Amino acid sequence: MQPKHRRTMRDQLDKTFAQLANVKALQPPVKGWLRSIREALGMSGKQLGERLEVSQPRIVQLERDELSGALTLKSMRQAAAAMDCQFVYAVVPRTSLEETVRQQARKVAARRLARTSHTMLLEDQLVSDDELQKMLEEKVEELIRNIPNDFWSDIP
């Protein structure tokens, strides 16, 4: 994918994520979504099992698996549909994708600049803090424009 397309994709996804801002604060009920919704609907485990064409003990296991994180997306989708609910799945960044890329660019730029600064120090070529900060920001922008293949590698 070309860099300009990546940035456009990040922008589009960030707009979508902005609509999901309230979802970030959403916490699952203590009993899990499946059991909480089933009980709120007044539906027994046996009745949900009949709708899913599984046994009542399997419903108990589904609800346990949801709490432990072992339930598959397919099973969640099927159980939600059996209770006339819609299963919603999303991976939402903590900040924006653009900010995530910028933070990584700062790490990479700082690491690369530290190596350069060490070499310059050995050659007795000191730069001021302002010049160093300007070099860092220029490197960050360059990295964002042209993300290198090792950009997300944390190996220095």
Side-chain angles (χ1 to χ4, degrees):
M1 180 179 292
Q2 297 203 356
K4 68 178 180 182
H5 294 138
R6 280 191 196 129
R7 181 164 256 173
T8 301
M9 181 180 269
R10 285 195 305 266
D11 289 344
Q12 290 173 343
L13 285 171
D14 280 340
K15 286 177 186 169
T16 300
F17 294 137
Q19 298 171 2
L20 301 174
N22 293 336
V23 173
K24 291 180 183 178
L26 192 61
Q27 295 293 317
V30 174
K31 294 179 178 179
W33 292 110
L34 296 180
R35 183 173 172 190
S36 296
I37 291 172
R38 180 180 60 74
E39 288 179 352
L41 292 172
M43 186 184 294
S44 70
K46 182 180 179 190
Q47 291 165 329
L48 178 57
E50 290 168 357
R51 288 174 165 242
L52 286 170
E53 299 178 357
V54 298
S55 65
Q56 189 273 335
R58 176 69 183 127
I59 297 302
V60 172
Q61 188 61 48
L62 283 174
E63 291 172 351
R64 281 190 194 142
D65 287 349
E66 180 196 0
L67 291 174
S68 70
L71 195 58
T72 65
L73 298 177
K74 180 181 176 185
S75 294
M76 282 293 285
R77 189 176 299 113
Q78 290 172 335
M83 293 186 291
D84 197 27
C85 293
Q86 185 175 359
F87 176 65
V88 179
Y89 173 81
V91 175
V92 182
R94 290 185 182 93
T95 63
S96 68
L97 292 177
E98 196 60 36
E99 182 56 28
T100 301
V101 167
R102 184 165 293 280
Q103 288 173 0
Q104 182 66 16
R106 282 191 190 108
K107 284 184 196 173
V108 173
R111 192 170 48 225
R112 291 182 179 181
L113 206 54
R115 279 186 258 155
T116 304
S117 296
H118 180 71
T119 303
M120 293 173 75
L121 183 66
L122 292 174
E123 295 172 355
D124 205 23
Q125 300 173 348
L126 294 177
V127 293
S128 70
D129 287 345
D130 288 344
E131 290 171 322
L132 201 58
Q133 188 61 37
K134 184 178 175 186
M135 290 169 63
L136 180 68
E137 291 306 319
E138 288 173 357
K139 192 66 180 168
V140 166
E141 294 304 321
E142 178 187 324
L143 286 166
I144 290 172
R145 274 192 309 277
N146 299 306
I147 296 175
N149 290 338
D150 64 346
F151 186 72
W152 291 101
S153 175
D154 286 332
I155 300 168

